[in-house]
Amino acid sequence: MSIAAPSPEIIAKAAGILREGGLVAFPTETVYGLGGDATQDSAVEKIYAAKGRPSFNPLIVHVGAREWVAGLAQPDGRFDKLARTFWPGPLTLVMHRRADAPISKIISAGRDTIAIRMPDHPVARDILAAAKRPLAAPSANRSGFMSPTEAAHVTSSLDAPPALIIDGGKCRIGVESTVLDLTLHVPAILRPGSVTRDQIEAAIGPIALGADDPAAPKAPGQLASHYAPRLPLRLNAVEAGPGEVLVGFGPVKGAFTLSAAGDLAEAAANLFAVLRQADNAALYKSIAVAPIPNDGLGLALNDRLRRASAPRN
Ligand code: TXA
Ligand code: MG
Protein backbone atom coordinates (compact mmCIF):
# COMPACT_ATOMS: atom_id res chain seq x y z
CA MET A 1 0.00 0.00 0.00
CA SER A 2 1.25 3.49 -0.70
CA ILE A 3 0.11 7.01 0.11
CA ALA A 4 1.20 9.25 -2.76
CA ALA A 5 1.04 12.99 -3.41
CA PRO A 6 -0.90 13.85 -6.57
CA SER A 7 1.18 14.29 -9.74
CA PRO A 8 0.44 13.62 -13.41
CA GLU A 9 2.18 10.22 -13.06
CA ILE A 10 0.12 9.25 -10.01
CA ILE A 11 -3.12 10.35 -11.67
CA ALA A 12 -2.25 8.20 -14.70
CA LYS A 13 -1.40 5.30 -12.43
CA ALA A 14 -4.71 5.69 -10.55
CA ALA A 15 -6.65 5.78 -13.84
CA GLY A 16 -4.88 2.59 -14.96
CA ILE A 17 -5.71 0.76 -11.73
CA LEU A 18 -9.35 1.85 -11.97
CA ARG A 19 -9.72 0.82 -15.61
CA GLU A 20 -8.33 -2.60 -14.71
CA GLY A 21 -11.02 -2.98 -12.05
CA GLY A 22 -8.90 -2.10 -9.00
CA LEU A 23 -9.66 0.39 -6.24
CA VAL A 24 -8.01 3.74 -5.42
CA ALA A 25 -8.73 6.04 -2.46
CA PHE A 26 -8.74 9.71 -3.40
CA PRO A 27 -9.76 13.06 -1.89
CA THR A 28 -12.97 14.89 -2.73
CA GLU A 29 -14.08 18.24 -1.31
CA THR A 30 -16.31 16.38 1.19
CA VAL A 31 -14.48 13.25 2.40
CA TYR A 32 -12.02 10.71 0.96
CA GLY A 33 -13.68 8.25 -1.40
CA LEU A 34 -12.91 4.61 -2.12
CA GLY A 35 -13.18 4.69 -5.89
CA GLY A 36 -13.87 1.90 -8.36
CA ASP A 37 -15.07 1.68 -11.97
CA ALA A 38 -18.87 1.97 -11.78
CA THR A 39 -19.23 0.05 -15.06
CA GLN A 40 -17.58 -3.14 -13.74
CA ASP A 41 -19.46 -5.48 -11.41
CA SER A 42 -16.22 -6.90 -10.01
CA ALA A 43 -14.88 -3.45 -9.08
CA VAL A 44 -18.14 -2.55 -7.36
CA GLU A 45 -18.12 -5.87 -5.50
CA LYS A 46 -14.60 -5.05 -4.28
CA ILE A 47 -15.88 -1.77 -2.82
CA TYR A 48 -18.67 -3.47 -0.87
CA ALA A 49 -16.23 -6.12 0.39
CA ALA A 50 -13.51 -3.63 1.42
CA LYS A 51 -16.00 -1.54 3.40
CA GLY A 52 -18.05 -4.44 4.78
CA ARG A 53 -20.98 -2.43 3.38
CA PRO A 54 -24.43 -4.05 3.39
CA SER A 55 -25.53 -4.86 -0.18
CA PHE A 56 -28.82 -2.99 0.34
CA ASN A 57 -27.01 0.36 0.64
CA PRO A 58 -26.63 1.84 -2.88
CA LEU A 59 -23.49 3.74 -4.01
CA ILE A 60 -23.06 7.21 -5.52
CA VAL A 61 -21.73 7.41 -9.07
CA HIS A 62 -19.21 10.23 -9.64
CA VAL A 63 -18.99 11.87 -13.06
CA GLY A 64 -16.38 14.09 -14.67
CA ALA A 65 -18.82 16.35 -16.52
CA ARG A 66 -22.53 17.16 -16.58
CA GLU A 67 -22.80 15.68 -20.06
CA TRP A 68 -22.02 12.18 -18.73
CA VAL A 69 -25.38 12.09 -16.96
CA ALA A 70 -27.49 11.77 -20.13
CA GLY A 71 -26.16 8.25 -20.73
CA LEU A 72 -26.84 7.11 -17.17
CA ALA A 73 -30.08 8.68 -15.95
CA GLN A 74 -33.21 10.47 -17.07
CA PRO A 75 -32.44 14.06 -16.11
CA ASP A 76 -35.19 16.71 -16.16
CA GLY A 77 -35.34 20.50 -15.92
CA ARG A 78 -34.76 20.43 -12.18
CA PHE A 79 -31.57 18.48 -12.76
CA ASP A 80 -30.34 21.08 -15.28
CA LYS A 81 -30.93 23.94 -12.85
CA LEU A 82 -29.32 22.15 -9.93
CA ALA A 83 -26.31 20.88 -11.85
CA ARG A 84 -25.68 24.32 -13.34
CA THR A 85 -25.92 25.89 -9.89
CA PHE A 86 -24.11 23.38 -7.68
CA TRP A 87 -21.85 21.21 -9.84
CA PRO A 88 -19.07 20.55 -9.46
CA GLY A 89 -19.89 20.35 -5.78
CA PRO A 90 -21.35 18.47 -2.83
CA LEU A 91 -24.85 17.78 -4.18
CA THR A 92 -25.84 14.21 -5.15
CA LEU A 93 -28.93 13.85 -7.32
CA VAL A 94 -31.04 10.68 -7.34
CA MET A 95 -32.74 10.13 -10.71
CA HIS A 96 -34.42 7.35 -12.66
CA ARG A 97 -31.77 5.12 -14.15
CA ARG A 98 -31.64 4.64 -17.90
CA ALA A 99 -32.41 1.00 -18.74
CA ASP A 100 -29.29 0.89 -20.94
CA ALA A 101 -26.97 2.72 -18.52
CA PRO A 102 -23.56 1.02 -18.71
CA ILE A 103 -23.38 0.94 -14.93
CA SER A 104 -23.16 -2.10 -12.67
CA LYS A 105 -26.63 -2.94 -11.34
CA ILE A 106 -25.12 -3.72 -7.94
CA ILE A 107 -24.62 0.02 -7.41
CA SER A 108 -28.36 0.68 -7.29
CA ALA A 109 -28.97 -2.09 -4.72
CA GLY A 110 -32.03 -3.38 -6.51
CA ARG A 111 -33.58 0.02 -7.29
CA ASP A 112 -34.29 1.49 -10.70
CA THR A 113 -32.68 4.76 -9.65
CA ILE A 114 -29.13 6.09 -9.66
CA ALA A 115 -27.43 8.70 -7.45
CA ILE A 116 -24.92 10.92 -9.26
CA ARG A 117 -22.58 13.74 -8.33
CA MET A 118 -19.72 15.68 -9.88
CA PRO A 119 -17.06 16.26 -7.22
CA ASP A 120 -15.26 19.58 -6.83
CA HIS A 121 -11.72 18.57 -6.02
CA PRO A 122 -8.87 18.82 -8.52
CA VAL A 123 -7.61 15.30 -7.75
CA ALA A 124 -11.05 13.69 -8.09
CA ARG A 125 -11.70 15.60 -11.31
CA ASP A 126 -8.29 14.72 -12.78
CA ILE A 127 -8.86 11.03 -12.01
CA LEU A 128 -12.33 11.06 -13.59
CA ALA A 129 -10.96 12.81 -16.68
CA ALA A 130 -8.07 10.34 -16.99
CA ALA A 131 -10.14 7.20 -16.28
CA LYS A 132 -12.86 8.45 -18.66
CA ARG A 133 -15.54 6.51 -16.87
CA PRO A 134 -17.98 7.02 -14.01
CA LEU A 135 -16.61 6.01 -10.62
CA ALA A 136 -18.44 4.64 -7.61
CA ALA A 137 -16.91 6.22 -4.52
CA PRO A 138 -18.36 5.81 -1.05
CA SER A 139 -16.41 7.20 1.88
CA ALA A 140 -13.17 5.24 2.35
CA ASN A 141 -13.94 3.77 5.78
CA ARG A 142 -15.34 0.57 7.18
CA SER A 143 -19.13 0.67 6.92
CA GLY A 144 -20.77 2.27 9.96
CA PHE A 145 -17.71 4.16 11.18
CA MET A 146 -16.34 7.68 10.76
CA SER A 147 -15.55 9.04 7.30
CA PRO A 148 -11.92 9.89 6.46
CA THR A 149 -11.08 13.55 5.91
CA GLU A 150 -7.28 13.03 5.71
CA ALA A 151 -5.28 10.41 3.80
CA ALA A 152 -3.97 8.83 7.01
CA HIS A 153 -7.55 8.22 8.17
CA VAL A 154 -8.04 5.90 5.20
CA THR A 155 -5.33 3.49 6.34
CA SER A 156 -6.67 3.42 9.88
CA SER A 157 -10.29 3.01 8.69
CA LEU A 158 -10.08 -0.02 6.43
CA ASP A 159 -8.90 -3.53 7.29
CA ALA A 160 -7.47 -3.85 3.79
CA PRO A 161 -6.74 -0.37 2.37
CA PRO A 162 -6.37 -0.10 -1.43
CA ALA A 163 -2.90 -0.33 -2.99
CA LEU A 164 -2.96 3.38 -3.84
CA ILE A 165 -4.18 6.24 -1.64
CA ILE A 166 -3.78 9.73 -3.06
CA ASP A 167 -3.05 12.37 -0.45
CA GLY A 168 -4.79 15.66 -1.19
CA GLY A 169 -4.49 17.02 2.35
CA LYS A 170 -7.46 17.81 4.52
CA CYS A 171 -10.91 17.78 2.88
CA ARG A 172 -12.35 21.29 2.61
CA ILE A 173 -15.96 20.52 3.61
CA GLY A 174 -15.62 17.49 5.89
CA VAL A 175 -19.16 16.03 5.73
CA GLU A 176 -20.61 13.96 2.89
CA SER A 177 -22.62 15.49 0.06
CA THR A 178 -26.27 16.46 0.34
CA VAL A 179 -28.39 13.71 -1.28
CA LEU A 180 -31.53 15.00 -3.05
CA ASP A 181 -34.14 12.63 -4.46
CA LEU A 182 -35.40 13.97 -7.81
CA THR A 183 -37.50 10.90 -8.60
CA LEU A 184 -40.27 12.24 -6.36
CA HIS A 185 -42.87 14.71 -7.60
CA VAL A 186 -41.67 17.03 -4.83
CA PRO A 187 -37.92 16.47 -4.34
CA ALA A 188 -36.71 15.54 -0.86
CA ILE A 189 -33.38 15.68 0.94
CA LEU A 190 -32.37 12.12 1.87
CA ARG A 191 -29.09 13.12 3.54
CA PRO A 192 -28.31 16.67 4.72
CA GLY A 193 -24.96 18.11 3.68
CA SER A 194 -23.32 21.45 3.00
CA VAL A 195 -25.69 22.36 0.17
CA THR A 196 -28.65 23.45 2.28
CA ARG A 197 -32.39 23.24 1.81
CA ASP A 198 -32.59 27.03 1.38
CA GLN A 199 -30.00 26.96 -1.40
CA ILE A 200 -31.83 24.15 -3.20
CA GLU A 201 -35.19 25.90 -2.87
CA ALA A 202 -33.69 29.10 -4.25
CA ALA A 203 -32.79 27.13 -7.39
CA ILE A 204 -35.86 24.92 -7.96
CA GLY A 205 -38.60 26.07 -5.60
CA PRO A 206 -40.13 24.29 -2.61
CA ILE A 207 -38.96 20.79 -1.72
CA ALA A 208 -40.49 18.28 0.69
CA LEU A 209 -40.08 18.08 4.46
CA GLY A 210 -36.73 19.05 5.95
CA ALA A 211 -34.27 16.26 6.67
CA ASP A 212 -34.67 17.17 10.34
CA ASP A 213 -38.32 16.09 10.16
CA PRO A 214 -38.67 12.52 11.48
CA ALA A 215 -41.38 11.88 8.83
CA ALA A 216 -39.03 12.81 5.97
CA PRO A 217 -37.83 10.05 3.61
CA LYS A 218 -34.41 8.68 4.46
CA ALA A 219 -31.60 7.49 2.24
CA PRO A 220 -31.87 3.72 1.75
CA GLY A 221 -29.42 1.55 3.60
CA GLN A 222 -28.60 4.16 6.22
CA LEU A 223 -28.79 2.54 9.62
CA ALA A 224 -29.50 4.50 12.78
CA SER A 225 -25.92 3.87 13.97
CA HIS A 226 -23.37 5.28 11.52
CA TYR A 227 -20.26 7.49 11.63
CA ALA A 228 -19.53 5.86 14.97
CA PRO A 229 -16.36 6.39 16.98
CA ARG A 230 -15.10 3.52 19.16
CA LEU A 231 -16.27 5.22 22.37
CA PRO A 232 -19.92 5.98 23.14
CA LEU A 233 -20.94 9.55 22.41
CA ARG A 234 -23.28 11.96 24.25
CA LEU A 235 -24.85 14.99 22.55
CA ASN A 236 -25.66 18.52 23.73
CA ALA A 237 -23.15 18.43 26.58
CA VAL A 238 -22.10 21.67 28.26
CA GLU A 239 -19.55 20.05 30.50
CA ALA A 240 -17.68 16.75 30.76
CA GLY A 241 -19.12 14.13 33.09
CA PRO A 242 -16.93 11.52 34.84
CA GLY A 243 -14.69 9.73 32.33
CA GLU A 244 -15.86 11.92 29.45
CA VAL A 245 -13.73 13.87 27.01
CA LEU A 246 -15.53 17.06 25.99
CA VAL A 247 -15.56 18.26 22.36
CA GLY A 248 -16.43 21.95 22.39
CA PHE A 249 -18.12 24.34 20.00
CA GLY A 250 -18.32 28.14 20.40
CA PRO A 251 -18.69 29.09 24.07
CA VAL A 252 -18.46 25.49 25.29
CA LYS A 253 -14.74 24.86 25.77
CA GLY A 254 -13.56 21.28 25.60
CA ALA A 255 -10.34 19.26 25.57
CA PHE A 256 -10.86 19.54 21.79
CA THR A 257 -13.05 21.96 19.86
CA LEU A 258 -14.94 21.77 16.56
CA SER A 259 -14.77 25.55 16.25
CA ALA A 260 -13.88 27.93 19.05
CA ALA A 261 -15.46 30.73 16.98
CA GLY A 262 -18.73 28.80 16.70
CA ASP A 263 -18.38 28.62 12.90
CA LEU A 264 -20.40 25.77 11.35
CA ALA A 265 -18.23 25.40 8.24
CA GLU A 266 -15.10 25.16 10.39
CA ALA A 267 -16.85 22.63 12.64
CA ALA A 268 -17.85 20.48 9.65
CA ALA A 269 -14.30 20.53 8.29
CA ASN A 270 -12.98 19.45 11.71
CA LEU A 271 -15.75 17.03 12.68
CA PHE A 272 -14.34 13.60 11.86
CA ALA A 273 -10.69 14.47 12.62
CA VAL A 274 -11.62 15.87 16.04
CA LEU A 275 -13.87 12.90 16.86
CA ARG A 276 -10.96 10.61 15.96
CA GLN A 277 -8.64 12.55 18.28
CA ALA A 278 -11.16 12.37 21.11
CA ASP A 279 -11.71 8.68 20.40
CA ASN A 280 -7.98 8.00 20.63
CA ALA A 281 -7.31 10.14 23.70
CA ALA A 282 -6.11 7.92 26.52
CA LEU A 283 -8.06 7.31 29.73
CA TYR A 284 -11.52 8.41 28.63
CA LYS A 285 -14.57 6.15 28.58
CA SER A 286 -16.83 8.29 26.43
CA ILE A 287 -17.09 11.41 24.28
CA ALA A 288 -19.40 14.35 25.03
CA VAL A 289 -20.12 16.91 22.31
CA ALA A 290 -21.31 20.50 22.80
CA PRO A 291 -24.64 21.63 21.31
CA ILE A 292 -24.53 22.63 17.63
CA PRO A 293 -27.20 25.00 16.23
CA ASN A 294 -29.69 23.00 14.15
CA ASP A 295 -29.90 25.09 11.00
CA GLY A 296 -28.01 25.37 7.70
CA LEU A 297 -24.90 23.24 7.81
CA GLY A 298 -25.73 22.49 11.48
CA LEU A 299 -28.40 20.06 10.22
CA ALA A 300 -25.71 17.94 8.54
CA LEU A 301 -23.48 18.09 11.63
CA ASN A 302 -26.31 17.08 13.95
CA ASP A 303 -27.36 14.29 11.58
CA ARG A 304 -23.85 12.79 11.73
CA LEU A 305 -23.55 13.29 15.49
CA ARG A 306 -26.97 11.77 16.17
CA ARG A 307 -26.03 8.64 14.22
CA ALA A 308 -22.61 8.55 15.91
CA SER A 309 -24.40 8.54 19.27
CA ALA A 310 -27.04 5.94 18.35
CA PRO A 311 -26.96 2.49 19.96
CA ARG A 312 -24.55 0.39 17.88
CA ASN A 313 -25.99 -2.11 15.39
O1 TXA B 1 -19.65 13.25 -0.26
C1 TXA B 1 -19.97 12.14 -0.68
O2 TXA B 1 -21.08 11.92 -1.21
C2 TXA B 1 -18.95 11.01 -0.56
C3 TXA B 1 -17.73 11.38 -1.42
C4 TXA B 1 -16.66 10.33 -1.40
O3 TXA B 1 -18.13 11.67 -2.73
N1 TXA B 1 -19.51 9.78 -0.99
C5 TXA B 1 -20.46 9.13 -0.28
O4 TXA B 1 -20.91 8.00 -0.93
O5 TXA B 1 -20.87 9.48 0.80
P1 TXA B 1 -21.83 6.92 -0.33
O6 TXA B 1 -21.92 5.87 -1.40
O7 TXA B 1 -21.36 6.46 0.99
O8 TXA B 1 -23.20 7.65 -0.15
C6 TXA B 1 -24.31 7.02 -0.56
C7 TXA B 1 -25.51 7.76 -0.05
C8 TXA B 1 -26.23 6.85 0.89
O9 TXA B 1 -26.90 7.59 1.86
C9 TXA B 1 -27.19 6.13 -0.04
O10 TXA B 1 -28.27 5.60 0.63
C10 TXA B 1 -27.54 7.24 -1.01
O11 TXA B 1 -26.37 8.00 -1.15
N2 TXA B 1 -27.89 6.69 -2.32
C11 TXA B 1 -27.07 6.12 -3.22
N3 TXA B 1 -27.76 5.67 -4.27
C12 TXA B 1 -29.06 5.96 -4.04
C13 TXA B 1 -30.26 5.76 -4.75
N4 TXA B 1 -30.29 5.13 -5.93
N5 TXA B 1 -31.41 6.19 -4.19
C14 TXA B 1 -31.39 6.83 -3.00
N6 TXA B 1 -30.29 7.07 -2.28
C15 TXA B 1 -29.13 6.63 -2.79
MG1 MG C 1 -20.03 6.66 4.22
Side-chain angles (χ1 to χ4, degrees):
M1 184 207 62
S2 77
I3 298 189
S7 66
E9 294 71 34
I10 288 294
I11 298 292
K13 184 175 168 187
I17 293 173
L18 290 163
R19 293 170 75 99
E20 282 162 20
L23 305 186
V24 175
F26 57 81
T28 78
E29 76 280 26
T30 57
V31 301
Y32 275 75
L34 180 62
D37 181 348
T39 69
Q40 296 183 42
D41 283 341
S42 62
V44 176
E45 278 163 358
K46 281 181 199 163
I47 294 178
Y48 278 94
K51 284 183 59 77
R53 179 161 171 137
S55 58
F56 53 82
N57 191 355
L59 302 179
I60 294 172
V61 173
H62 295 66
V63 295
R66 230 173 29 228
E67 293 69 39
W68 294 18
V69 172
L72 311 179
Q74 299 168 32
D76 61 11
R78 299 171 305 180
F79 166 82
D80 287 334
K81 271 234 165 87
L82 291 165
R84 278 176 208 288
T85 310
F86 298 106
W87 281 12
L91 179 65
T92 296
L93 298 168
V94 178
M95 288 168 282
H96 291 293
R97 195 183 150 114
R98 269 182 74 124
D100 60 354
I103 297 286
S104 164
K105 290 240 160 40
I106 308 169
I107 270 180
S108 297
R111 299 168 171 258
D112 58 4
T113 56
I114 184 166
I116 307 181
R117 90 173 186 100
M118 179 177 171
D120 182 21
H121 189 291
V123 172
R125 296 184 67 178
D126 286 352
I127 292 176
L128 282 158
K132 296 190 176 61
R133 58 196 59 203
L135 300 175
S139 53
N141 55 277
R142 195 162 174 78
S143 181
F145 293 90
M146 291 182 283
S147 298
T149 51
E150 297 172 23
H153 296 165
V154 177
T155 39
S156 58
S157 300
L158 291 169
D159 296 337
L164 178 59
I165 299 170
I166 304 185
D167 187 353
K170 196 176 152 176
C171 297
R172 176 167 60 81
I173 293 174
V175 292
E176 303 78 358
S177 60
T178 304
V179 178
L180 183 71
D181 190 343
L182 287 180
T183 66
L184 305 167
H185 180 59
V186 182
I189 294 178
L190 303 182
R191 179 175 73 182
S194 71
V195 174
T196 62
R197 176 190 178 80
D198 288 352
Q199 290 175 303
I200 293 168
E201 291 193 326
I204 58 166
I207 60 172
L209 309 164
D212 50 337
D213 187 321
K218 297 285 180 294
Q222 280 224 332
L223 301 168
S225 170
H226 203 113
Y227 314 109
R230 186 175 50 89
L231 297 177
L233 187 145
R234 180 168 72 90
L235 304 178
N236 298 318
V238 291
E239 57 190 2
E244 282 183 339
V245 52
L246 182 64
V247 172
F249 176 84
V252 177
K253 310 269 176 262
F256 302 97
T257 183
L258 294 173
S259 167
D263 179 273
L264 289 170
E266 184 184 20
N270 286 334
L271 178 71
F272 290 121
V274 165
L275 287 181
R276 276 168 204 276
Q277 286 172 336
D279 207 23
N280 293 330
L283 303 177
Y284 296 107
K285 292 195 181 61
S286 59
I287 303 171
V289 183
I292 314 285
N294 205 31
D295 53 59
L297 186 50
L299 282 173
L301 281 156
N302 282 311
D303 170 75
R304 307 308 188 268
L305 287 167
R306 213 165 29 245
R307 291 179 201 277
S309 72
R312 307 297 157 82
N313 306 128

